[in-house]
Amino acid sequence: RLVSTSGITDIQLRFKDTTDYATILDRIKRAQTLCKSKGVRLWINDYWKAAIEAGDCYGVHLGQEDLASCADAGGLDSIRSAGLAFGISTHSYSELAAALGV
């Protein structure tokens, strides 16, 4: 419903009810179809690999814990190579410093 709301330019898709990769990938692809049809940019929360695999997502948003595991897996370069916008949660000056270092 949000994708059809006037003035909405971006949607962040979060997954609280599953960690199943196939389910997440399917939901991203379905959300991407809806977002593209309305000219809304789709951000994927945490699941950067699925966002890259699905294609056509606007960006990825990571929390601090996911940022560390993504960096360790070489994901930052993969996100950059895929041309995705990149957002990072910050809740303190030290987290902001870590985010600015990326």
Side-chain angles (χ1 to χ4, degrees):
R1 290 178 278 188
L2 282 176
V3 76
S4 296
T5 302
S6 177
I8 298 292
T9 60
D10 294 79
I11 290 181
Q12 182 178 344
L13 187 59
R14 302 177 75 191
F15 304 96
K16 296 293 185 179
D17 65 332
T18 187
T19 57
D20 179 70
Y21 188 83
T23 299
I24 289 167
L25 187 59
D26 178 63
R27 288 182 185 174
I28 290 172
K29 288 178 179 180
R30 288 188 292 131
Q32 185 57 35
T33 299
L34 290 171
C35 287
K36 283 182 81 171
S37 73
K38 301 294 184 178
V40 173
R41 298 181 297 198
L42 179 63
W43 290 79
I44 304 303
N45 194 66
D46 297 335
Y47 290 91
W48 58 272
K49 289 180 185 175
I52 293 170
E53 185 175 340
D56 291 329
C57 294
Y58 180 77
V60 174
H61 184 272
L62 300 177
Q64 291 289 315
E65 290 177 13
D66 293 303
L67 174 61
S69 63
C70 177
D72 290 345
L76 299 177
D77 288 333
S78 296
I79 292 167
R80 188 176 298 112
S81 294
L84 296 173
F86 187 57
I88 303 170
S89 295
T90 59
H91 302 96
S92 67
Y93 289 116
S94 62
E95 289 180 355
L96 177 60
L100 291 172
V102 174

